[in-house]
Amino acid sequence: MVNATSAAAGIIGVIVLARHGDRTLYYQEPLTYRSQQAYLTSLGANQEYQLGSFLRDAYLDSNSSSHIEGINPENADMQQLRVRAEGGGGNAGVTSAYSLLQGLYPPTETAAIKLHNGSTVEAPLHGYQYIPVETIMQDGNPMLTPWIDCPYFQSHLNRTFNSSVWKDMEREAAPFLNASKPFIGSMDTNFTNMYNIYDYMNVQSTHDEGYRKALPPTFLEQARHFANMQQREVFNAQPINAIGEVAVRTLIPEMIWAMGNMTSNESPLKLALTTIDYQPFISFFNVTNATVKDPDVAGIPNYASALALEVFEGKDGEPELSLKFKNGTDDNEFRSLTMWGNDRVSLETFTTNLAYRTINNTRDWCFSCNETFSRGCFAMDFSKDPFLNPAAATY
Ligand SMILES: *[C@@H]1O[C@H](CO)[C@@H](O)[C@H](O)[C@H]1NC(C)=O
Ligand SMILES: *[C@@H]1O[C@H](CO)[C@@H](O)[C@H](O)[C@H]1NC(C)=O
Ligand SMILES: *[C@@H]1O[C@H](CO)[C@@H](O)[C@H](O)[C@H]1NC(C)=O
Ligand SMILES: *[C@@H]1O[C@H](CO)[C@@H](O)[C@H](O)[C@H]1NC(C)=O
Ligand SMILES: *[C@@H]1O[C@H](CO)[C@@H](O)[C@H](O)[C@H]1NC(C)=O
Ligand SMILES: *[C@@H]1O[C@H](CO)[C@@H](O)[C@H](O)[C@H]1NC(C)=O
Ligand SMILES: *[C@@H]1O[C@H](CO)[C@@H](O)[C@H](O)[C@H]1NC(C)=O
Ligand SMILES: *[C@@H]1O[C@H](CO)[C@@H](O)[C@H](O)[C@H]1NC(C)=O
Ligand SMILES: *[C@@H]1O[C@H](CO)[C@@H](O)[C@H](O)[C@H]1NC(C)=O
Ligand SMILES: *[C@@H]1O[C@H](CO)[C@@H](O)[C@H](O)[C@H]1NC(C)=O
Ligand SMILES: *[C@@H]1O[C@H](CO)[C@@H](O)[C@H](O)[C@H]1NC(C)=O
Ligand SMILES: *[C@@H]1O[C@H](CO)[C@@H](O)[C@H](O)[C@H]1NC(C)=O
């Protein structure tokens, strides 16, 4: 059983962001951050399944100190769950969500139903529970991958690549990148490519025994170190409503809406789960100041990492939140993190600190990015908009 030291008994609901599991090789264009998801591997499916079991122990087991009040522990109640996943490419986000759900709500004979003629039927695979996953396709909906094809984010990237912080990192990483040449195939050793270099080393050393043996012992760790540093620059910004934080600005509205549902008597929602890639974690820990007390969470989260926002009733009856994080499968602990220096914050504080300049829908995203065509913006017809299309404006 998970001994999560929750701030108070009586969790009303939980919002979980989970990273996909181990996958095949992936490539992010280093100058634009365009990418498509790869395919989940069997290892990745196991990691997600384990994460699902972990969340089950933490939130569904009625003996857990962090048990969600009123949630059905055995038979998935679709009204209590909302599951979304990043879709596109090899769909590692979607298949991760299914694997996670298999651990969260494993097959059960208790879900068998009785028919008109008295016979009992159970779903296949000993009562597999078919929980719907809403797939957010990359092409038509920017909300889970909002940094892609966003012109203002591209300007942020251009500024970042040209910044003195970046140039210092580039200098620091140069000897390592030079030494990495024999181990990264035909990849470019330009520092802008650091994330891909780390990813290549990680994927090859997980799946290829020969590669693992040949790679010098500290290389993977060094690559991770530089990739962590680099991705922090790419997906953070100052101030928090800047476009550099876009990876999380499109996720916060859903969090706030889910919290509103959980704390209202009209909605049965208890668990809202989204499977995504690593980028929003980096932005989230920055905009909530979680990295001030725990600087180590500023890096890339491992595969099958999970971040949870637990919603509970505080002392004076006001909804409060606490933040938990688990850095992948090898991390057994659901560690408590602070937000703005506090173990718990009121829902109101969370909303006040973050709701301004959230990006609530595709239309907002088009404006926030100055994009008029891709990712669904074409459907909005901005042809007469004086901001997005100054040339055509009829002031
Ligand atoms: C909770 O703990 C009690 C006492 O240890 C045990 O009898 C019961 O089976 C446990 N319930 C679950 C759901 O594990
Ligand atoms: C009862 O109905 C189901 C579905 O129509 C059918 O598959 C099953 O064979 C029936 N059982 C009996 C005992 O007739
Ligand atoms: C970013 O830099 C690239 C290459 O220097 C350039 O082609 C592109 O126009 C720039 N984009 C923006 C939005 O500044
Ligand atoms: C990069 O920064 C230098 C000054 O540090 C500036 O002169 C140059 O125009 C910048 N280049 C781009 C593409 O922003
Ligand atoms: C790059 O690595 C090679 C060996 O792989 C070494 O001979 C050379 O001195 C290195 N260059 C720099 C600039 O570190
Ligand atoms: C790395 O790539 C960027 C973008 O293409 C380029 O501006 C820069 O000169 C490259 N740096 C090196 C050391 O090749
Ligand atoms: C968030 O990221 C920005 C940009 O890198 C940085 O200036 C700021 O200190 C970070 N905030 C925290 C709390 O670490
Ligand atoms: C976006 O959503 C947030 C959170 O629900 C809300 O506070 C804000 O007013 C919304 N913004 C717009 C422009 O609708
Ligand atoms: C859940 O929240 C959404 C967004 O705020 C709202 O539109 C919806 O009506 C809520 N549902 C219930 C049942 O409260
Ligand atoms: C997760 O752990 C890895 C080491 O396994 C570390 O490099 C990374 O910074 C950690 N990420 C977070 C978000 O804690
Ligand atoms: C968040 O941390 C930054 C330092 O990185 C600090 O300037 C800011 O005041 C903090 N915000 C809050 C709300 O505590
Ligand atoms: C927004 O994009 C349009 C082209 O679609 C461009 O003309 C305009 O200058 C951009 N605005 C800003 C502030 O970059």
Side-chain angles (χ1 to χ4, degrees):
M1 203 186 75
V2 177
N3 198 3
T5 46
S6 284
I11 292 189
I12 301 166
V14 178
I15 288 135
V16 176
L17 294 186
R19 190 182 174 200
H20 62 71
D22 183 71
R23 46 146 170 74
T24 54
L25 197 63
Y26 161 90
Y27 183 74
Q28 278 193 120
E29 286 177 27
L31 300 182
T32 63
Y33 279 73
R34 276 201 200 102
S35 69
Q36 286 269 301
Q37 271 310 333
Y39 293 93
L40 193 69
T41 65
S42 304
L43 173 63
N46 276 294
Q47 292 167 341
E48 293 295 327
Y49 179 84
Q50 281 178 47
L51 174 60
S53 307
F54 179 92
L55 294 171
R56 173 175 177 77
D57 289 346
Y59 295 126
L60 305 187
D61 181 342
S62 55
N63 283 346
S64 160
S65 60
S66 52
H67 164 250
I68 301 173
E69 279 178 358
I71 195 161
N72 196 321
E74 204 51 41
N75 303 333
D77 175 344
M78 308 315 167
Q79 305 297 315
Q80 296 181 337
L81 307 170
R82 183 184 298 153
V83 186
R84 301 188 307 153
E86 180 199 336
N91 279 313
V94 179
T95 43
S96 289
Y98 285 122
S99 311
L100 190 161
L101 290 170
Q102 288 180 332
L104 187 69
Y105 278 109
T108 174
E109 287 166 13
T110 63
I113 55 166
K114 242 198 171 101
L115 299 180
H116 61 101
N117 58 9
S119 73
T120 306
V121 272
E122 169 178 284
L125 307 168
H126 306 291
Y128 182 96
Q129 307 200 53
Y130 294 83
I131 302 172
V133 173
E134 185 192 346
T135 301
I136 311 292
M137 291 307 293
Q138 222 187 67
D139 285 347
N141 187 330
M143 300 311 265
L144 300 187
T145 47
W147 57 92
I148 295 175
D149 285 345
C150 168
Y152 283 173
F153 188 76
Q154 184 66 60
S155 308
H156 157 79
L157 286 174
N158 286 9
R159 284 192 300 272
T160 303
F161 299 155
N162 198 25
S163 69
S164 60
V165 176
W166 191 269
K167 292 193 165 140
D168 289 346
M169 291 192 299
E170 198 165 34
R171 253 189 303 277
E172 204 189 316
F176 172 71
L177 287 171
N178 181 41
S180 297
K181 275 184 186 145
F183 308 103
I184 55 171
S186 57
M187 272 205 286
D188 185 354
T189 51
N190 191 326
F191 179 69
T192 51
N193 211 22
M194 191 67 237
Y195 178 84
N196 292 320
I197 290 168
Y198 161 69
D199 202 73
Y200 182 89
M201 283 187 184
N202 190 31
V203 170
Q204 299 300 329
S205 60
T206 301
H207 295 272
D208 181 337
E209 187 187 358
Y211 183 91
R212 180 92 177 200
K213 286 198 173 126
L215 189 69
T218 63
F219 272 38
L220 185 58
E221 207 182 306
Q222 289 188 65
R224 178 62 177 258
H225 167 74
F226 289 121
N228 280 346
M229 273 177 25
Q230 188 206 41
Q231 294 305 296
R232 224 153 54 209
E233 290 306 308
V234 171
F235 290 101
N236 285 342
Q238 197 70 276
I240 64 162
N241 63 353
I243 201 69
E245 306 283 7
V246 73
V248 78
R249 286 173 58 200
T250 52
L251 284 172
I252 291 166
E254 276 286 337
M255 291 177 172
I256 294 174
W257 296 333
M259 289 167 190
N261 284 169
M262 288 165 183
T263 54
S264 88
N265 292 326
E266 280 119 67
S267 166
L269 184 67
K270 304 224 174 276
L271 183 59
L273 166 73
T274 306
T275 57
I276 44 170
D277 205 342
Y278 72 91
Q279 298 88 344
F281 286 84
I282 295 180
S283 304
F284 185 83
F285 292 142
N286 181 272
V287 298
T288 54
N289 273 16
T291 52
V292 172
K293 171 132 184 288
D294 297 281
D296 60 307
V297 301
I300 300 165
N302 287 327
Y303 293 145
S305 283
L307 164 174
L309 281 161
E310 300 175 348
V311 186
F312 55 89
E313 203 170 293
K315 275 199 237 67
D316 52 2
E318 285 298 304
E320 293 186 1
L321 306 171
S322 56
L323 175 61
K324 297 275 173 63
F325 175 63
K326 175 173 157 18
N327 191 4
T329 312
D330 294 341
D331 186 356
N332 299 318
E333 192 202 358
F334 221 175
R335 174 176 167 198
S336 289
L337 299 180
T338 60
M339 290 190 280
W340 306 289
N342 298 302
D343 293 326
R344 327 173 194 180
V345 300
S346 67
L347 174 50
E348 199 190 334
T349 302
F350 184 87
T351 308
T352 309
N353 286 358
L354 299 177
Y356 78 101
R357 296 287 287 155
T358 55
I359 297 172
N360 293 358
N361 49 46
T362 298
R363 194 181 178 84
D364 278 3
W365 181 86
C366 304
F367 270 102
S368 302
C369 288
N370 195 30
E371 173 59 43
T372 53
F373 185 75
S374 69
R375 317 280 327 260
C377 297
F378 65 90
M380 311 286 168
D381 188 10
F382 290 116
S383 60
K384 301 223 166 54
D385 187 90
F387 176 72
L388 289 165
N389 202 351
T394 48
Y395 292 96

